[in-house]
Amino acid sequence: MSLILKRALLATAVAGVLGTSVPAAAVSPGEQALKNRAISYVMTDSQWAVYQTPGGKDECPNGLSKWGPRERFKEMFPDRTPGKYSLKDTQIALEGSIWNPDTSPDTFEYILAGGTTSYGANLDGKVGPNDFTSPEGEKGIDNQLFRVIGCDDNMRGPNGTIYGVGGNYVRNVTFNRMIVELTNVDSLANDADVDVKITRGLDKLMTDSGGDRMLPGGTQRIDTRWAKKFTQTLKGKIVDGVLRTTPVPVLKMIDTRNRTPIEDLFRDGVLVLKVSSDYAEGVAAGYVDINRFYFNFNKEFNTFVQAYGRTDAHGMYKKMKELADAYPGKDGKNTAISGAVLMKFAQAFVEYPAKQVVKDDGAPSLKPAR
Amino acid sequence: MRVNTKIAGLVAALAVVSFAAQAAAPKKSDTLIEDYVAEPLPPGFQVIVTERDGPVFADAKGHTLYNWPHRGLRIGSAGDYAGKSACTDERVTVTGGHMEPYPPGLTVPNAENRPTCAQVWPPALADADAKPVGAWSVITRDDGRKQWAYRNQAVYTSFLDHGPGDVLGTTAAGPGGRAGGRNVVGPASNVPPVFTVNSTIRGRMLRADGRAMVYTWDKDQPNRSNCTAKCLNDWKPVYASALAESRGQFNVFEREPGIRQWAFRGRPLYTRAQLLGAPDLNDEGGDVPGWREVYVQTVLPPPKEFTQQDTITGIVLADKHGKTLYVYNCQEDTSDQLSCDYPEAVQDYRLAICGRGDPVRCQQQFPYVPAAKNAKSESGLWTVMWINPNTGRRAQEGQAGAMSVWAFRDRPVYTYEGDLEPGDIMGHQFGESEGLNNGYTAYFIKNVFFGRE
């Protein structure tokens, strides 16, 4: 039985008990959309999944990142006498090693995250010794990327610079207007076969008057040109209000957290979203290509941004390679690392570009086109 | 510090080589030349209409003039205060620490031979008895010499420019050639007050109300708008006030009794109504069939062998195989903010980023774009240069190991090893400070989502 009908019956029953007339049941925008067996969501928040406990006591018992660019430089080149060191042997050598990383041993300690809990998905269908348990209790969560970034002060909310800047950009930059369009939907509670389309919108998010709370019911024009590369269709099912898509070889996600156009790739990628008529939230998960993640990260967040929270780019690459858990390259070493992105969505109505037809008088009329 | 004769020789050699490479001044568009507001000029000074930067002021020899307004940096500041020149004959040999987290005081590469600011940006000197003219004034440099200033900002030429119409020192329009806060100086465009003109990669683009892109519609007739009713949901006429008067190539017409609209060369002008919904989108209206952005001057086409490719954020220029083209950007972190993005500059910065100091790795990661030695481009912005790929220095034809490559604004362009399919832009913003201080950026023809053109 649909949610709308249930509410209507309940309203009628209550009215009968109270001897009052039946008020019109409030119908949310999402419920309206579901009348056509379709509902769409627009992304309102996105962060690389970092599970946090107060003070990091569980996941970062040894503290947070220690050797950011400033600390590393000071340790390596402590003398501040002008002219003591050459730029070539110091700053640009360090930058060169960031942009041309290797797996040689690093003398600087890198703090890895631990603990038993992480966001993500069970990508390999197994429960292994290095796996986590999700906050909801699901075992076998594969998220080795969390170990690498989990104790990076920049990546932790609410005050981490990358966390804050990135979140802000996700909301305010239209490039990130990821749309998840569900069709063939009979129920958001349980549905064995749902079609999922991922694309991008072109409009601002709808917020409350304060600008912080994302509201359902906005409209998004669909980007049918620039989003072609990551427009993709998936299959999924909804069980107890959670949509889970069938893994795809490559799940593409648009992503910018600081003015750099980024396309993330999740191999064996899945979406796992708790869905309702107004909102959705969950994860995109998969095996993240290490080189792509690493270079995208550094393109977005330069050394001076990394310095704010002591991000250690040198160590990050080495640890990602060390903990990589999938897709061996020609040298037999894994090139991808399990990871996840936490996402939030608000229901939105989507509008595909109209096909213009010119009338005899020269003025155009617009016919909706799909 | 007195100028080292070696540096003077280097500058002279550079002048000879670069002038030969330039061969001739850039060609101007035959059909669309920007109209500008004439104003009084110092003796011998002139206005030259350049291909991409529009009308610029030039000295008596036709050398483009630039300024360097004082501005704040991440740490500290640099540039000229009003009425003064900070670009001196002092050789700067250490970094200024303006880009944290790195400290100041690091000795720059090739410090002992590094040119001074005044060598790279020769001041536009004035005669001792020169008098102010219009917006032009005369300032006194620290060494006592007189220098011209425009609107109180000292003006300079660039040692990279060697012919009339060259604008190789810097440019307001990306990609390439951003030089430490320097600007090209030129007269005001002759546009009504509601409009501004900005240099872009495609030409001098018209904007309304400060930032909105301006469009025309193919379905309009001269001085007649057919955009009514539903069309107005998406397109907003650029209205003209009751007192607005036609000016230059802009005229006012009545779209309805009492309702006036601006037109450019008789073509009614609009902005995108739906820009209000997504203010960070750049030129999304240009994707709508029949609607065109407005330029008061357009650049000539790039080399015919190049292609255009759609990316996830706009259109890039690509080589004949569809591989995105990149420019290299570099600026030293010194008090004089000299650029290091041209072949005669120290190559240590570039080699560090593209190959950790290894030129072979550099050529693999960011290879040059080969050009037939006699290849030509209609646009003067594109040339063929000989380069030594192992040093990154300009070479002569016939020198061992030299290769002929495409250059944009006299700087080589590159592709990126990590781009696997047409439209890939994986090399975009590779390097320090999003690729702008020491790194690479893609050659965007149109960047819809980030607007950096």
Side-chain angles (χ1 to χ4, degrees):
Chain A
M1 180 186 293
S2 76
L3 187 58
I4 298 169
L5 185 55
K6 278 184 189 172
R7 285 192 181 179
L9 286 174
L10 177 61
T12 305
V14 169
V17 168
L18 297 177
T20 58
S21 59
V22 178
V27 177
S28 74
E31 287 168 344
Q32 283 188 330
L34 277 170
K35 287 179 184 174
N36 296 322
R37 299 180 70 237
I39 186 167
S40 295
Y41 303 96
V42 60
M43 187 167 73
T44 60
D45 199 6
S46 169
Q47 297 283 354
W48 285 98
V50 171
Y51 180 76
Q52 297 179 212
T53 59
K57 288 206 167 62
D58 284 2
E59 69 277 12
C60 304
N62 297 321
L64 302 181
S65 44
K66 291 179 181 164
W67 296 106
R70 199 189 313 274
E71 293 76 18
R72 180 182 284 257
F73 192 96
K74 195 173 177 182
E75 180 73 9
M76 293 175 72
F77 311 108
D79 193 334
R80 283 289 166 268
T81 306
K84 170 71 178 174
Y85 305 112
S86 73
L87 187 71
K88 185 176 177 181
D89 293 335
T90 57
Q91 178 178 333
I92 56 178
L94 284 170
E95 289 288 334
S97 66
I98 287 174
W99 293 99
N100 299 272
D102 62 28
T103 54
S104 60
D106 196 2
T107 55
F108 291 88
E109 180 190 13
Y110 193 95
I111 308 275
L112 290 171
T116 56
T117 307
S118 171
Y119 302 107
N122 187 340
L123 301 175
D124 56 11
K126 302 172 187 169
V127 178
N130 295 324
D131 293 353
F132 294 95
T133 301
S134 76
E136 294 79 26
E138 181 183 353
K139 295 188 186 304
I141 299 297
D142 298 298
N143 193 349
Q144 297 304 301
L145 182 61
F146 164 61
R147 295 194 191 281
V148 179
I149 63 175
C151 296
D152 184 329
D153 202 4
N154 269 323
M155 303 294 283
R156 296 172 63 87
N159 295 323
T161 299
I162 291 175
Y163 182 96
V165 168
N168 208 34
Y169 264 83
V170 167
R171 281 187 289 278
N172 293 316
V173 175
T174 311
F175 182 87
N176 286 326
R177 215 57 82 228
M178 176 181 168
I179 302 284
V180 174
E181 198 177 341
L182 307 186
T183 53
N184 193 24
V185 179
D186 296 311
S187 163
L188 289 180
N190 290 284
D191 193 326
D193 181 21
V194 172
D195 295 321
V196 181
K197 182 176 181 181
I198 298 176
T199 183
R200 173 168 61 196
L202 288 172
D203 289 293
K204 283 167 65 175
L205 298 173
M206 194 161 85
T207 70
D208 63 2
S209 57
D212 289 328
R213 184 166 166 249
M214 302 298 156
L215 298 179
T219 301
Q220 290 288 328
R221 293 168 297 147
I222 295 298
D223 173 9
T224 55
R225 179 170 181 184
W226 313 110
K228 271 186 200 161
K229 219 174 173 189
F230 39 73
T231 295
Q232 54 210 296
T233 53
L234 316 169
K235 297 294 284 183
K237 58 182 170 185
I238 302 174
V239 176
D240 295 333
V242 177
L243 166 73
R244 186 179 297 257
T245 60
T246 306
V248 290
V250 178
L251 177 67
K252 301 172 197 170
M253 299 264 300
I254 44 177
D255 181 5
T256 184
R257 297 164 201 276
N258 194 24
R259 295 192 301 254
T260 305
I262 298 283
E263 186 186 2
D264 291 324
L265 299 182
F266 292 86
R267 297 201 192 187
D268 304 336
V270 293
L271 285 181
V272 182
L273 302 177
K274 191 172 173 185
V275 292
S276 73
S277 56
D278 292 338
Y279 296 100
E281 66 176 291
V283 297
Y287 293 104
V288 176
D289 182 88
I290 290 173
N291 280 355
R292 186 178 276 254
F293 175 91
Y294 174 80
F295 284 112
N296 284 342
F297 182 90
N298 281 284
K299 285 190 284 184
E300 282 200 295
F301 301 109
N302 292 278
T303 309
F304 62 79
V305 174
Q306 295 178 14
Y308 297 145
R310 298 181 306 281
T311 294
D312 179 359
H314 304 267
M316 176 188 283
Y317 183 81
K318 297 176 198 293
K319 289 302 176 187
M320 287 178 73
K321 293 295 275 186
E322 190 180 303
L323 296 175
D325 49 352
Y327 288 92
K330 289 178 187 170
D331 59 0
K333 296 184 179 168
N334 287 326
T335 62
I337 186 169
S338 50
V341 172
L342 288 170
M343 299 186 296
K344 293 184 180 177
F345 297 82
Q347 181 271 330
F349 296 101
V350 297
E351 186 182 293
Y352 279 77
K355 188 176 175 184
Q356 284 195 327
V357 175
V358 180
K359 285 183 179 172
D360 291 338
D361 64 0
S365 68
L366 301 178
K367 286 186 179 178
R370 188 78 179 189
Chain B
M1 177 178 289
R2 289 180 62 83
V3 173
N4 189 301
T5 51
K6 273 190 191 174
I7 298 169
L10 169 65
V11 171
L14 173 63
V16 170
V17 170
S18 292
F19 184 73
Q22 287 298 308
K27 296 176 191 171
K28 299 173 196 169
S29 165
D30 291 326
T31 57
L32 203 58
I33 301 289
E34 184 172 345
D35 188 20
Y36 60 89
V37 177
E39 59 180 283
L41 300 173
F45 279 22
Q46 55 190 301
V47 174
I48 295 178
V49 182
T50 64
E51 185 178 344
R52 191 171 75 158
D53 294 277
V56 303
F57 293 127
D59 67 7
K61 295 179 183 173
H63 293 151
T64 298
L65 295 177
Y66 305 83
N67 65 15
W68 188 32
H70 191 262
R71 63 179 187 141
L73 302 175
R74 184 160 289 275
I75 295 176
S77 61
D80 294 339
Y81 287 103
K84 293 185 184 299
S85 171
C87 186
T88 69
D89 286 308
E90 179 186 352
R91 180 180 301 120
V92 176
T93 59
V94 294
T95 59
H98 301 293
M99 290 298 298
E100 59 173 348
Y102 300 111
L106 303 172
T107 304
V108 295
N110 198 28
E112 64 277 10
N113 295 317
R114 187 173 186 271
T116 68
C117 181
Q119 287 179 305
V120 177
W121 298 98
L125 297 174
D127 293 337
D129 59 351
K131 297 286 185 285
V133 177
W136 299 82
S137 55
V138 181
I139 66 168
T140 303
R141 294 174 57 78
D142 287 349
D143 58 10
R145 292 184 295 172
K146 303 292 186 185
Q147 180 176 0
W148 286 106
Y150 179 70
R151 298 192 188 281
N152 276 330
Q153 290 291 148
V155 293
Y156 308 83
T157 58
S158 167
F159 86 151
L160 294 174
D161 293 338
H162 295 287
D166 281 359
V167 188
L168 301 175
T170 187
T171 178
R178 300 169 196 267
R182 272 93 177 175
N183 304 308
V184 180
V185 181
S189 293
N190 191 17
V191 298
V194 69
F195 298 105
T196 53
V197 176
N198 302 113
S199 290
T200 73
I201 196 68
R202 290 168 284 169
R204 297 275 288 167
M205 178 180 277
L206 193 68
R207 290 187 186 260
D209 301 320
R211 71 170 303 274
M213 294 186 68
V214 179
Y215 301 88
T216 58
W217 188 31
D218 289 349
K219 300 297 180 195
D220 281 343
Q221 277 86 47
N223 296 312
R224 184 192 166 197
S225 169
N226 291 316
C227 183
T228 59
K230 287 181 184 175
C231 174
L232 295 175
N233 288 340
D234 292 338
W235 303 95
K236 182 179 157 191
V238 183
Y239 293 111
S241 69
L243 297 178
E245 292 182 351
S246 298
R247 172 176 173 171
Q249 297 173 325
F250 293 81
N251 64 283
V252 177
F253 70 97
E254 270 200 344
R255 57 177 282 116
E256 298 169 42
I259 308 294
R260 309 166 87 218
Q261 181 174 353
W262 282 106
F264 174 65
R265 295 185 161 195
R267 301 208 60 83
L269 301 178
Y270 306 84
T271 57
R272 185 94 165 112
Q274 288 193 351
L275 182 64
L276 297 174
D280 64 321
L281 288 185
N282 180 46
D283 188 23
E284 171 254 345
D287 292 338
V288 182
W291 291 88
R292 302 172 190 279
E293 314 93 357
V294 177
Y295 298 89
V296 296
Q297 179 174 306
T298 51
V299 300
L300 293 167
K304 288 194 170 90
E305 68 181 66
F306 288 167
T307 61
Q308 293 187 12
Q309 304 292 337
D310 275 10
T311 73
I312 56 178
T313 186
I315 304 172
V316 290
L317 194 64
D319 71 2
K320 55 188 172 187
H321 305 294
K323 293 203 81 169
T324 298
L325 298 184
Y326 295 89
V327 297
Y328 171 68
N329 312 290
C330 185
Q331 180 178 294
E332 294 195 273
D333 183 25
T334 49
S335 57
D336 55 13
Q337 297 277 289
L338 298 184
S339 61
C340 37
D341 59 0
Y342 52 94
E344 288 71 24
V346 288
Q347 295 294 301
D348 301 68
Y349 297 97
R350 186 180 64 85
L351 291 174
I353 292 298
C354 64
R356 211 164 171 175
D358 179 2
V360 174
R361 177 63 191 135
C362 275
Q363 292 168 62
Q364 293 167 344
Q365 182 147 236
F366 280 96
Y368 293 100
V369 180
K373 64 179 182 180
N374 56 352
K376 292 271 186 280
S377 169
E378 202 178 335
S379 169
L381 298 169
W382 290 91
T383 54
V384 176
M385 69 163 51
W386 288 90
I387 206 92
N388 181 329
N390 291 320
T391 64
R393 300 286 189 170
R394 198 184 301 263
Q396 296 294 325
E397 184 176 354
Q399 276 182 342
M403 61 184 296
S404 59
V405 300
W406 280 111
F408 177 69
R409 298 180 66 253
D410 213 30
R411 295 157 172 86
V413 292
Y414 307 85
T415 55
Y416 177 55
E417 159 188 72
D419 286 342
L420 303 178
E421 296 175 1
D424 280 355
I425 49 170
M426 297 303 297
H428 182 54
Q429 297 184 247
F430 187 105
E432 294 189 73
S433 298
E434 299 168 23
L436 293 174
N437 272 23
N438 177 15
Y440 298 82
T441 50
Y443 191 110
F444 274 102
I445 294 169
K446 177 160 117 166
N447 192 337
V448 175
F449 293 93
F450 298 96
R452 282 188 185 155
E453 298 181 27

